[in-house]
């Protein structure tokens, strides 16, 4: 099988693809070449006039946890200023970009193909800001590690727009960042700010929408995404972030281990009885070192992938929530809403349909059929066959 060449690799080989002028790089440590050289170093060596590094959630090095960033600073190896974009949008992001003096921004970080992963929305906010400020955006495309053949899960209601979903895309979207950028720029950015950004996508070469190449190194995209298996189950167990249940943060198996201090050995048994395709469950006891239930013993379960082709992460996530609710009817599993905002589970799912369906005891199909339907990707956004 021919090796996939990323947009970064193509830009290094042909820096003329990028253009001239002071250039920013919105990236983190996942911006690496095939031989794991840092993208920023390789671009500078190729003569790209980088002047600034912009960083998303978790910062450049990914040294901080969810909901955090490293702040502004200086990249020690290059001396370039590092500007933190996390939690900056609208006028604040516009001022940040203008103040940097860049004429264009390269975007290169590894997404994982799930709507509530925030790197997607860093890209969206940059496109909106670039449209307002006249700054060009160049996406150095990377494969979707979950592959590009499956698009599933609900869309997003406008009332549930947030930084885990600005606009309606499928929960598991099956697109690359370059394809998302084209969709956003053709439809959603003009709706948001009145017109598109000046956008260029440096496309992948040799990618046929397949899952992560086993021969390609996995650089974990965020601190709790250590393996490709973690990313594969994230659309399922990531939904538990909207509940009081531990989703395994603070363990060596995030998004595979789950439970609460009040769950018990019945959980794995009840999930096994559901005979969900492509997945098995094991009774597991763990003690998170941080995040929910940190320091407490959790008698929960571990999810094990058994048949990747049969695994349905969205239905599996719904089934986990249904099972916990059925086993523990006296427990309220949802995290409380902040004043003036929907509950976090609604933001993750994209509507109240999941929470309301689980609470009333609806079956899985009814929950999946309720709420905003899976959006259709415009044909002209797709870049790869």
């Amino acid at each position: 099988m021919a090796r996939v060449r990323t947009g970064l690799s193509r830009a290094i080989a042909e820096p003329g693809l990028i253009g001239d002028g002071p250039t920013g790089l919105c990236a983190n440590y996942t911006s690496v070449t095939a031989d794991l050289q840092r993208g920023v170093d390789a671009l500078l060596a190729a003569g790209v006039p980088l002047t600034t590094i912009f960083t998303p959630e978790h910062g450049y090095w990914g040294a901080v946890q969810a909901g955090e960033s490293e702040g502004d600073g200086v990249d020690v190896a290059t001396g370039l200023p590092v500007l933190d974009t996390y939690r900056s949008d609208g006028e604040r992001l516009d001022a940040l970009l203008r103040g940097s003096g860049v004429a264009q921004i390269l975007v290169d970080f590894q997404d994982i193909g799930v709507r509530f992963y925030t790197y997607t929305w860093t890209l969206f906010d940059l496109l909106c800001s670039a449209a307002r400020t006249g700054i060009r955006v160049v996406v150095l495309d990377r494969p979707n590690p979950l592959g590009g053949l499956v698009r599933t899960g609900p869309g997003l209601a406008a009332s549930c727009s947030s930084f885990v979903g600005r606009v309606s895309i499928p929960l598991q979207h099956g697109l690359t960042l370059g394809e998302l950028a084209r969709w956003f720029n053709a439809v959603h950015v003009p709706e948001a700010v009145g017109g598109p950004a000046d956008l260029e996508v440096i496309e992948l070469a040799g990618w046929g929408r397949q899952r992560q190449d086993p021969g390609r190194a996995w650089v974990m995209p965020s601190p709790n995404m250590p393996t490709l298996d973690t990313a594969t189950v994230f659309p399922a167990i990531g939904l538990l972030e909207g509940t009081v249940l531990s989703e395994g943060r603070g363990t060596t198996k995030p998004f595979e281990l789950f439970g609460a201090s009040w769950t018990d050995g019945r959980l794995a048994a009840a999930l096994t009885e559901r005979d969900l395709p492509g997945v098995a469950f094991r009774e597991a006891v763990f003690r998170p070192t941080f995040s929910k239930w940190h320091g407490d013993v959790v008698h929960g379960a571990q999810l094990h992938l058994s048949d990747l082709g049969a695994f349905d992460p969205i239905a599996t996530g719904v089934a986990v929530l249904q099972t916990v609710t059925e086993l523990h009817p006296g427990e309220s599993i949802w995290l409380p809403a902040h004043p003036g905002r929907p509950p976090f589970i609604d933001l993750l799912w994209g509507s109240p349909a999941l929470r309301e369906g689980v609470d009333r005891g609806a079956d899985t199909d009814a929950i999946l059929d309720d709420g905003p339907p899976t959006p259709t990707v415009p044909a002209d956004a797709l870049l790869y066959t």
Side-chain angles (χ1 to χ4, degrees):
M1 181 170 56
R3 186 145 199 186
V4 175
R5 295 183 66 217
T6 64
L8 173 64
S9 294
R10 293 189 60 213
I12 292 166
E14 304 174 71
L17 293 171
I18 291 175
D20 300 321
T23 300
L25 174 65
C26 186
N28 61 12
Y29 58 99
T30 62
S31 172
V32 292
T33 63
D35 61 358
L36 302 181
Q37 181 184 7
R38 288 200 317 165
V40 59
D41 300 324
L43 287 164
L44 285 169
V48 176
L50 295 181
T51 60
T52 309
I53 299 172
F54 300 95
T55 57
E57 184 181 9
H58 308 293
Y60 180 83
W61 290 108
V64 295
Q65 288 295 326
E68 301 178 19
S69 59
E70 294 171 345
D72 296 344
V74 175
D75 179 58
V76 174
T78 63
L80 293 177
V82 176
L83 301 180
D84 179 13
T85 72
Y86 184 52
R87 299 192 185 278
S88 292
D89 59 4
E91 293 181 358
R92 183 178 175 185
L93 184 57
D94 293 355
L96 182 71
L97 298 189
R98 286 194 183 102
S100 72
V102 301
Q104 60 181 354
I105 297 177
L106 312 182
V107 179
D108 184 34
F109 38 66
Q110 182 63 65
D111 187 45
I112 63 165
V114 181
R115 186 179 66 221
F116 46 72
Y117 204 61
T118 65
Y119 297 163
T120 301
W121 307 111
T122 292
L123 170 66
F124 179 80
D125 288 347
L126 281 175
L127 286 168
C128 289
S129 191
R132 291 187 295 260
T133 59
I135 293 172
R136 182 172 180 252
V137 175
V138 181
V139 176
L140 308 181
D141 216 3
R142 289 184 173 274
N144 183 326
L146 302 187
L149 299 175
V150 176
R151 297 184 196 97
T152 186
L156 177 87
S159 60
C160 290
S161 175
S162 73
F163 196 54
V164 290
R166 294 285 197 216
V167 297
S168 189
I169 62 174
L171 189 58
Q172 183 174 331
H173 54 70
L175 303 173
T176 67
L177 278 184
E179 291 176 319
L180 284 169
R182 285 167 62 92
W183 185 3
F184 292 158
N185 207 46
V187 179
H188 298 296
V189 173
E191 290 176 349
V193 303
D198 180 2
L199 171 68
E200 179 75 23
V201 177
I202 299 183
E203 299 176 21
L204 297 161
W207 190 61
R209 311 200 76 84
Q210 70 269 30
R211 280 174 57 85
Q212 173 88 6
D213 178 358
R216 191 175 192 86
W218 176 261
V219 179
M220 58 184 192
S222 55
N224 291 289
M225 205 60 59
T227 70
L228 181 57
D229 276 356
T230 320
T232 302
V233 303
F234 182 63
I237 306 303
L239 292 169
L240 271 60
E241 293 184 329
T243 75
V244 300
L245 299 165
S246 169
E247 65 278 0
R249 292 183 188 274
T251 77
T252 58
K253 288 291 185 180
F255 304 107
E256 297 178 46
L257 292 167
F258 57 94
S261 67
W262 38 261
T263 54
D264 53 46
R266 295 176 296 161
L267 179 57
L271 285 166
T272 299
E273 286 180 7
R274 284 181 175 264
D275 196 24
L276 297 167
V279 65
F281 295 92
R282 178 186 68 86
E283 183 178 358
V285 178
F286 58 95
R287 186 167 63 183
T289 58
F290 62 87
S291 194
K292 289 179 280 187
W293 304 110
H294 64 274
D296 292 341
V297 173
V298 173
H299 197 144
Q302 182 175 356
L303 180 157
H304 295 266
L305 291 170
S306 58
D307 183 345
L308 192 58
F311 177 55
D312 183 340
I314 310 300
T316 299
V318 173
V320 168
L321 296 172
Q322 291 171 313
T323 303
V324 171
T325 301
E326 291 165 2
L327 290 174
H328 303 277
E331 298 286 351
S332 177
I333 68 170
W334 312 116
L335 288 178
H338 292 292
R341 290 171 60 84
F344 192 49
I345 187 63
D346 295 7
L347 302 183
L348 294 173
W349 186 252
S351 78
L354 174 60
R355 174 176 51 84
E356 293 174 352
V358 169
D359 284 349
R360 69 172 182 268
D363 64 29
T364 302
D365 288 341
I367 292 172
L368 295 174
D369 289 341
D370 198 5
T374 305
T376 300
V377 180
D380 58 2
L382 298 174
L383 293 168
Y384 312 102
T385 58

